[in-house]
Amino acid sequence: MRNIFLCLLLVSSAAFSQNYPVDHISPELLENADAVIRNYQRDVFIENIDEKKVITRRVVTVLNQAGERYVQAYEVYDKSDDIEEQELFVYDSNGQEIEHIKQKDFRDESAYASFILYSDNRVSYFDYMPRRYPYTVEYISETVTPNTIFIREWEPLEGYRVSTEKSTASIHYPEGISLRWKSRNLENYDIQVDSVGKELKFQAKNIASLQRETYTPSFSTFAPRISVSMNQFYLEGVEGEAQDWKQFGKWMYDNLVEGLDELPQSTVQKMTSLVADAQSEEEKIRRIYQFVQDNTRYIAVMYGIGGWKPFTAREVDDLGYGDCKALTNYTKALLKTQGIESYYTVIYGGNKRDIEPDFARMQGNHVILNVPRKDSADFWLECTSQKVPFDYMGDFTDDRFALLIKPEGGEIIKTKVYQPEDNLQAIDCKIQLAANGGFQANFTRTSRGVPYGEVFRMVDYTDKEVKEFYRDDWKKIQNIQFENYEFENDREQIVFTEKINFSGERLATSAGSRLLVPLNFIQQSSIASGSGKTRKLPMQISRGKSFQDHFEFTLPENFVVEALPESTEFEAEFGKFSISITAHDHSVIEVERHLQINQGDWPASKYQEFRKFINKVNHLNNLKAVIVEKTKT
């Protein structure tokens, strides 16, 4: 095998002896691109269940500053890995070498931030400072690791505004080792897949860049990619074998979770006392979850198998801290003391991303706790936060596939989906208008569902931060002055309420002797609808939301209503809108406004229809009433 590596290196060096002048790039690949992947070659050699070598050759032409993120001249590694080779060549636009950086010149430092307690993850990189654009970087590396559980996905199109001239990947593996692979979104691209004997090879050529479009789904859902996994694998001293999620979850339970839930008898007794007078199982779970929030704090651990295996429950009980794995396992152990079943659950936290239900491999970046219930929806507990309410997921872990780790094996499950009516912001506001266009407002807003997660931490803001938040959010209101404000955070009902008394200038604008009053008082910003250009990518609204507003405008003394817009309502597959506008005694204008945006996925062909819907909403959000002084009628 060593001779194969040497031959490959010699062949690769000859192939890469060309220096990639920029004028050799076809115009189609330069159009709307910040960078061009000239030649990306990754060769993976599996020598044994616990030995993997990766040889990388990566040539990227950087066209402007935005394209520098695609250079990627680095290796992330830990104490189990070796970087055997690492060097970099830089060429000018004509392909002339202007710099050669050797391995000893690469910087080596911790790959994680200071809040991580233990970590052996490091990064070896070179951050090149260009003299001018465009330029080309050729990066070469060779790494060795025993951790064969990870095989990097092949992604011939790496992001927006980057095109690919050529990208290849190959995986070589011996007898006794078997692979699985899954391709996605390869249609309409020049991509070749070959599987011969014990070699799997992918190749792509001439893929033009894609441009980000409004309401585009996650890039990975429509870009071409191939996932590969070994059926037999190794992770930090632990061997495994799995071909589906049931087997993979069983391996994770047996090697990463089982036996870590033992607690001191004093803690068991404390939990029993804590829930002794609880009236239901739900109340017991709530009390134990609150105990975890009150008595632990989050701190990350990324060291060896500790990057995948939690601290024991006893350790967390002693120390009072842990990472997401440890705190989830601890909460699970505390519930177990009261006979309450729960499941350690692997998930992607952050932007919506699924544990792929149809392809078992090591995935996920976060762990939460699932508490199953027979006759109603499961509880989901975020064990790392001291602030998040019981059974609240928000947009960090909602609506995605996750992996339950059970004693009998893994199970894919979908987390809670917040419906549009669940994600509700409701405003009740009384506005006293002044003859000069200014106003005094008594404002109340309640937030539920995902919007709750966007505002509930305001209870911890300083006075300065609160005022900066509103001035930034309500940019169209001039010279805001706050008289007082108060917040109510109902953690049990998961409702956040803002009550604010404030004033401002020039809400209403003069039109001769008249004042034009905007009837959408606070939520004045337009909803993005994108450009009117022909759309190429599919469209997604990742979460539905609802807005329910009640505005009551009291006119200045001696003013009356001269004209009001008509009330209206309409509905489409993307949502629905209604606005009711009435005048009382010509001195008060009352506005009821309801807007619902639906969650969904639509083909590009539906985009113009969607724009018409949003543009109509935006138009109706800009309606104005006309008021005038009585003496000037």
Side-chain angles (χ1 to χ4, degrees):
M1 184 66 76
R2 187 70 190 173
N3 289 334
I4 294 176
F5 294 151
L6 182 58
C7 290
L8 243 158
L9 279 169
L10 292 173
V11 171
S12 297
S13 297
F16 278 71
S17 61
Q18 56 179 308
N19 295 341
Y20 298 93
V22 175
D23 61 10
H24 285 194
I25 304 174
S26 69
E28 292 79 10
L29 299 183
L30 289 172
E31 185 177 358
N32 297 317
D34 297 322
V36 180
I37 309 300
R38 308 295 298 278
N39 200 338
Y40 180 35
Q41 179 180 339
R42 186 172 76 241
D43 298 298
V44 180
F45 298 90
I46 309 296
E47 290 202 274
N48 209 326
I49 194 172
D50 60 354
E51 186 176 357
K52 180 182 72 175
K53 181 184 287 283
V54 180
I55 299 173
T56 301
R57 300 287 187 272
R58 182 178 178 85
V59 182
V60 180
T61 293
V62 180
L63 302 173
N64 53 50
Q65 186 176 10
E68 292 193 23
R69 67 187 183 276
Y70 292 110
V71 171
Q72 299 178 14
Y74 65 85
E75 299 297 331
V76 177
Y77 70 101
D78 62 27
K79 64 182 180 63
S80 299
D81 308 326
D82 289 317
I83 301 176
E84 298 193 343
E85 181 182 357
Q86 201 174 22
E87 63 179 327
L88 183 146
F89 297 89
V90 183
Y91 307 108
D92 65 16
S93 60
N94 297 316
Q96 298 300 308
E97 182 181 317
I98 55 178
E99 197 154 357
H100 177 201
I101 294 93
K102 297 181 179 179
Q103 187 168 5
K104 63 182 178 60
D105 299 316
F106 279 68
R107 295 184 62 179
D108 190 289
E109 58 187 47
S110 174
Y112 288 93
S114 58
F115 66 84
I116 295 180
L117 180 62
Y118 302 118
S119 174
D120 59 356
N121 292 91
R122 302 190 64 80
V123 58
S124 176
Y125 70 98
F126 191 86
D127 196 4
Y128 177 72
M129 298 294 292
R131 300 168 191 168
R132 61 180 61 86
Y133 299 99
Y135 68 94
T136 299
V137 173
E138 178 183 4
Y139 173 66
I140 302 167
S141 72
E142 184 176 331
T143 62
V144 178
T145 180
N147 295 318
T148 54
I149 196 170
F150 307 105
I151 297 179
R152 184 175 174 180
E153 279 191 310
W154 180 62
E155 299 168 300
L157 188 60
E158 299 184 7
Y160 293 109
R161 296 190 61 82
V162 59
S163 54
T164 300
E165 215 169 40
K166 185 178 180 182
S167 177
T168 63
S170 67
I171 303 169
H172 310 259
Y173 53 104
E175 293 293 335
I177 298 290
S178 57
L179 297 180
R180 291 173 290 112
W181 60 280
K182 177 81 175 181
S183 65
R184 305 178 195 276
N185 310 314
L186 302 192
E187 59 276 6
N188 303 320
Y189 293 102
D190 183 5
I191 292 177
Q192 182 177 346
V193 178
D194 295 306
S195 179
V196 179
K198 290 295 184 176
E199 180 181 3
L200 188 59
K201 186 174 182 178
F202 319 122
Q203 179 173 285
K205 293 181 179 180
N206 300 320
I207 302 180
S209 68
L210 292 177
Q211 310 310 304
R212 189 186 300 274
E213 296 177 324
T214 310
Y215 300 105
T216 299
S218 171
F219 190 82
S220 64
T221 63
F222 59 83
R225 60 190 175 99
I226 297 180
S227 304
V228 180
S229 184
M230 293 171 55
N231 291 329
Q232 306 84 16
F233 50 81
Y234 182 92
L235 174 64
E236 297 291 352
V238 181
E239 292 188 8
E241 183 170 356
Q243 297 185 44
D244 55 37
W245 280 122
K246 186 174 181 63
Q247 290 179 311
F248 199 88
K250 175 65 173 170
W251 173 82
M252 293 185 73
Y253 181 85
D254 291 346
N255 293 281
L256 303 181
V257 179
E258 187 180 23
L260 303 181
D261 56 3
E262 182 182 341
L263 286 164
Q265 190 58 35
S266 59
T267 300
V268 175
Q269 292 171 353
K270 188 184 296 184
M271 292 302 102
T272 301
S273 176
L274 179 68
V275 303
D277 61 345
Q279 300 301 302
S280 65
E281 183 172 87
E282 177 178 337
E283 188 175 350
K284 291 181 180 180
I285 300 168
R286 284 181 178 273
R287 290 188 186 184
I288 290 173
Y289 180 66
Q290 188 62 53
F291 174 85
V292 173
Q293 290 190 305
D294 291 342
N295 292 277
T296 65
R297 60 191 175 92
Y298 171 80
I299 190 163
V301 176
M302 303 292 294
Y303 189 85
I305 195 66
W308 307 99
K309 186 173 184 176
F311 282 175
T312 66
R314 182 182 290 272
E315 287 175 304
V316 176
D317 197 62
D318 289 341
L319 297 170
Y321 61 74
D323 61 10
C324 63
K325 304 179 297 296
L327 295 175
T328 298
N329 179 67
Y330 181 57
T331 310
K332 176 177 178 291
L334 294 176
L335 293 173
K336 184 180 177 182
T337 67
Q338 305 307 306
I340 300 171
E341 183 179 47
S342 60
Y343 298 120
Y344 187 93
T345 304
V346 179
I347 196 168
Y348 280 108
N351 293 334
K352 276 190 185 180
R353 182 179 177 186
D354 288 320
I355 297 289
E356 295 180 341
D358 57 354
F359 193 76
R361 62 188 177 98
M362 185 66 93
Q363 297 182 54
N365 62 7
H366 189 49
V367 175
I368 58 177
L369 191 65
N370 168 268
V371 186
R373 295 196 293 168
K374 292 181 181 178
D375 301 322
S376 54
D378 293 356
F379 289 135
W380 293 95
L381 304 184
E382 172 55 70
C383 302
T384 61
S385 172
Q386 297 166 318
K387 304 288 186 181
V388 169
F390 177 83
D391 194 34
Y392 180 72
M393 307 194 82
D395 60 5
F396 192 68
T397 49
D398 71 319
D399 191 18
R400 65 201 71 190
F401 286 114
L403 176 65
L404 298 186
I405 307 300
K406 295 184 172 183
E408 63 271 23
E411 178 185 330
I412 295 293
I413 188 172
K414 190 72 173 285
T415 63
K416 180 187 300 185
V417 179
Y418 292 94
Q419 300 298 330
E421 56 270 23
D422 300 325
N423 295 329
L424 173 65
Q425 279 196 323
I427 292 175
D428 184 17
C429 188
K430 292 180 170 58
I431 306 107
Q432 174 65 61
L433 295 169
N436 64 359
F439 70 91
Q440 179 77 34
N442 186 335
F443 170 91
T444 300
R445 176 166 60 189
T446 58
S447 299
R448 304 170 184 268
V450 169
Y452 169 90
E454 298 167 356
V455 294
F456 81 95
R457 289 182 174 83
M458 287 176 63
V459 294
D460 297 320
Y461 282 13
T462 65
D463 180 68
K464 180 181 178 181
E465 290 171 332
V466 168
K467 292 174 180 177
E468 286 178 347
F469 172 84
Y470 288 117
R471 288 189 173 114
D472 183 64
D473 198 36
W474 301 336
K475 289 187 177 74
K476 291 186 178 181
I477 298 178
Q478 297 186 20
N479 194 26
I480 296 180
Q481 300 297 319
F482 297 93
E483 294 179 13
N484 55 68
Y485 59 84
E486 61 178 283
F487 302 134
E488 180 184 341
N489 185 17
D490 186 339
R491 285 168 48 90
E492 185 160 339
Q493 297 300 318
I494 315 183
V495 179
F496 190 77
T497 303
E498 307 155 74
K499 295 182 179 180
I500 313 168
N501 292 322
F502 65 102
S503 61
E505 298 176 355
R506 297 183 65 182
L507 173 66
T509 55
S510 297
S513 61
R514 293 164 173 78
L515 286 178
L516 306 181
V517 182
L519 298 179
N520 184 20
F521 173 61
I522 286 299
Q523 291 167 347
Q524 298 181 65
S525 300
S526 295
I527 303 170
S529 62
S531 71
K533 297 178 181 178
T534 302
R535 188 178 179 93
K536 296 181 180 180
L537 300 177
M539 190 186 81
Q540 180 184 81
I541 299 175
S542 58
R543 291 178 187 85
K545 285 188 178 183
S546 295
F547 302 90
Q548 181 176 308
D549 303 326
H550 174 255
F551 301 128
E552 188 176 293
F553 297 87
T554 300
L555 275 55
E557 188 176 354
N558 208 39
F559 272 73
V560 294
V561 175
E562 183 180 63
L564 288 180
E566 292 184 2
S567 300
T568 188
E569 61 181 300
F570 63 95
E571 186 171 354
E573 60 186 294
F574 314 103
K576 55 187 177 181
F577 179 91
S578 67
I579 187 167
S580 172
I581 307 163
T582 55
H584 304 288
D585 300 325
H586 287 283
S587 62
V588 174
I589 302 172
E590 188 172 9
V591 179
E592 291 281 354
R593 172 184 175 272
H594 300 269
L595 170 63
Q596 178 177 305
I597 302 292
N598 293 334
Q599 177 176 326
D601 292 271
W602 292 272
S605 59
K606 282 282 187 178
Y607 188 63
Q608 292 305 321
E609 188 178 336
F610 170 75
R611 287 191 75 243
K612 289 179 182 178
F613 170 77
I614 293 299
N615 288 338
K616 189 172 182 179
V617 170
N618 288 335
H619 170 72
L620 293 171
N621 278 341
N622 288 318
L623 294 178
K624 293 179 175 63
V626 181
I627 64 175
V628 63
E629 287 188 74
K630 292 179 184 178
T631 57
K632 297 182 180 179
T633 56

